[in-house]
Amino acid sequence: MGLEAATKALLDAGITYDQVESAYVGYCYGDSTCGQRALYNLGMTGIPVVNVNNNCSTGSSALFLANTAVKYGQTECSIALGFERMKPGSLGSNWPDRKPAMALFNQKMAEIEKEELGENHGPNAPRMFADGAQEYFNKYGGNMETLAKIASKNHKHSLNNPYSQFRDGWSVEQILNAKKINNQLTKFMCSPTSDGAACCLVASEDFVHKHGLENQAIEIVATSLTTDSPVALEERSAIELVGYTMSKKGADKVFAEAGFAPGQGRDQVGVVELHDCFAANELLTYPALGLCNMDEAHKLVDRGDNTYGGKYVVNPSGGLEAKGHPLGATGLGMHFYIMMQLREWAGPMQAPGLFDTADKRGKYGLVHNVGLGGAVVVSLLRRPEFYKPGGVDGRTRVGYNHAHECRPVTMEDVNKVKSVHSSKYVLAHAKL
C-alpha cells in the first residue's frame, strides 16, 4: 500500500525518489521502522525517515512535519506517507499489560455520563463522540435525525469516489434503521476500520519552478498542529472531551496566519474535508472550525449548507464514514482530496464555484483531522499566485486522472520513480 501511494505521488510530480530529502511516515498499528520498510522499496538513499504515531491525526501530523522541514529551509522536497492495515472491529490497545494513553479520557467520559448525560454503552470511541452529540442536543437542539442527515450526505457523496470503501448511498431512513452502536449512533453513522495508504509531497516554491510544476502545485497557506488544553478534562463537557477547543484553536490559528482578523475568512472557504469519524463529530466540528455559530450546527445541516448547492461542500470524498478511515493515511487522504479540488481535477466530486472569485487564486480548501488523546491538524490550502495553466501535468505522467479514477500501480511505474540507489533485493520482495 505504501509503495503504491508513494509511487503515484512521485509520478504525479514527475520526479524520482532521489529528489526527496526527508520522509515522515505515519501508521498506528505496526512495528517500529515500518516507514523505512515501505520506502526502501523506492530506494535506500540515507535520508532521515521519521515514523509518526498520533492516533487518528497521524497522517496529517506527518504532513505537518514535512511542511515544517520545507518551510524552515531544512529541505527543498519532503515526503509524507501514511498507511494502515487494521483489524476488524472497534479500536483498542495492543498493550494489555499497561493502562492505555486514553485511560483518563475514558474515565472522564464515564463521570460525565453519570453526572450529566445519563448512561450510554458500546465501544469507547463512538460512545465518547455520541456523548458529545447528546450534550449538543441538550443545549442547542437537533437529534439522531440530524446525525442521519450528515451520514446520508457523506454516503451519497461517496458514490462519486472510486477510492471509497462504501459506495451505497444510504438514505436517512436506512441509516436510522441500521444497527445501533450506542444511544445516539447507528452503524452507518460510524467510520469503518480500513486498510489504505496516501502520500503527499511538500516542496519549496523554488523546487516547483525548477521542475515546472506551476500548473498543479497547491500552496499550504497555513497549517497547525494543536494539542489539548486543560478544559478537555477539567470541564464536565463531553464536547470538550472530544477536542472542541483543540479544533477551534487550530482553526483560529491557521486563519490568523492566512491574514484574517479573528472570526473572519470562513466565507472564503469553498470546500472542506473534516474528521467525521462519527457523524456526531462532523456536527461538533462545524462550529469548532467557525463555519457557523455553536448553536447553529444542526440548522446548517437542515439548510443543506454542507453539500453541493449549499454554502460549503463538506467531505465531497464521502468522508471517513464512507471512504474509510485507515488511521495513518486518513489525514493525508484529506489533503489529497482538497488538493485535487483546487486543481479542478476532482471530476464528479468537484465542488462548484471555487474560482468564481475576483481573486484568481480562488477560494480556500480547509482540512481538519483530529485524534483523541489528543492532536488536531488544521490546514488552509489554495491555488498559488504563480499558477500557470496548460502543459503536461500529473494526469499525463500517471496516465489517467488519478483524482477520480482508481487503477493499480505496476512495477513499470515503480521503475520510473525509484532511486538510482534502490536495492534489487528489496524490490524482489516488493508487493503491489
Side-chain angles (χ1 to χ4, degrees), residues 10 14-15 21 52 57 119 144 159 188 191 200 227 242 262 267 324 328 337 385 412 428:
L10 292 165
I15 64 172
E21 296 175 88
V52 181
S57 63
E119 277 191 31
M144 274 188 67
L159 294 172
F188 297 152
S191 60
C200 294
T227 55
V242 294
D267 60 335
Y337 286 114
E385 186 73 40
E412 183 181 354

Side-chain angles (χ1 to χ4, degrees), residues 9-25:
L10 292 165
L11 281 173
D12 174 80
I15 64 172
T16 71
Y17 189 61
D18 290 300
Q19 276 74 57
V20 175
E21 296 175 88
S22 66
Y24 304 88
V25 186

Side-chain angles (χ1 to χ4, degrees), residues 143-338:
N143 50 41
M144 274 188 67
E145 186 174 350
T146 307
L147 303 183
K149 288 178 180 178
I150 291 171
S152 179
K153 177 265 300 181
N154 288 329
H155 281 284
K156 284 182 168 60
H157 286 181
S158 75
L159 294 172
N160 295 321
N161 184 2
Y163 292 99
S164 188
Q165 187 169 343
F166 294 128
R167 302 181 72 189
D168 301 291
W170 303 117
S171 68
V172 170
E173 292 73 22
Q174 287 173 311
I175 289 166
L176 286 170
N177 291 327
K179 177 184 175 182
K180 290 199 76 172
I181 303 302
N182 51 46
N183 292 343
Q184 296 80 12
L185 297 172
T186 69
K187 182 178 180 180
F188 297 152
M189 298 174 185
C190 304
S191 60
T193 51
S194 311
D195 297 345
C199 184
C200 294
L201 292 166
V202 183
S204 69
E205 187 172 336
D206 286 344
F207 187 95
V208 168
H209 293 312
K210 180 180 178 181
H211 293 272
L213 297 171
E214 296 92 346
N215 60 355
Q216 66 180 57
I218 297 300
E219 181 182 0
I220 300 176
V221 177
T223 186
S224 68
L225 197 165
T226 309
T227 55
D228 285 301
S229 303
V231 68
L233 293 169
E234 296 295 334
E235 295 288 322
R236 292 189 300 179
S237 169
I239 291 174
E240 290 296 350
L241 192 63
V242 294
Y244 177 84
T245 290
M246 181 168 64
S247 292
K248 184 179 186 304
K249 285 185 174 181
D252 288 346
K253 183 175 182 180
V254 297
F255 279 97
E257 287 186 13
F260 293 105
Q264 300 300 306
R266 277 64 170 185
D267 60 335
Q268 295 192 40
V269 171
V271 62
V272 183
E273 287 283 344
L274 60 75
H275 198 93
D276 65 312
C277 49
F278 307 97
N281 196 46
E282 180 161 333
L283 179 73
L284 301 176
T285 301
Y286 297 149
L289 296 179
L291 304 181
C292 65
N293 293 330
M294 186 65 181
D295 61 349
E296 294 180 344
H298 63 296
K299 298 174 186 176
L300 182 149
V301 175
D302 290 339
R303 291 194 302 267
D305 274 341
N306 56 359
T307 188
Y308 299 90
K311 187 174 183 180
Y312 308 103
V313 180
V314 179
N315 292 336
S317 67
L320 283 60
E321 291 166 77
K323 71 176 173 59
H325 184 20
L327 305 192
T330 289
L332 287 161
M334 290 173 159
H335 285 83
F336 165 82
Y337 286 114
I338 291 296

Side-chain angles (χ1 to χ4, degrees), residues 117 127-137 238-239 242 280 284:
L117 298 175
R127 180 172 162 184
M128 200 172 291
F129 285 102
D131 286 347
Q134 189 60 55
E135 181 181 334
Y136 181 92
F137 299 156
I239 291 174
V242 294
L284 301 176

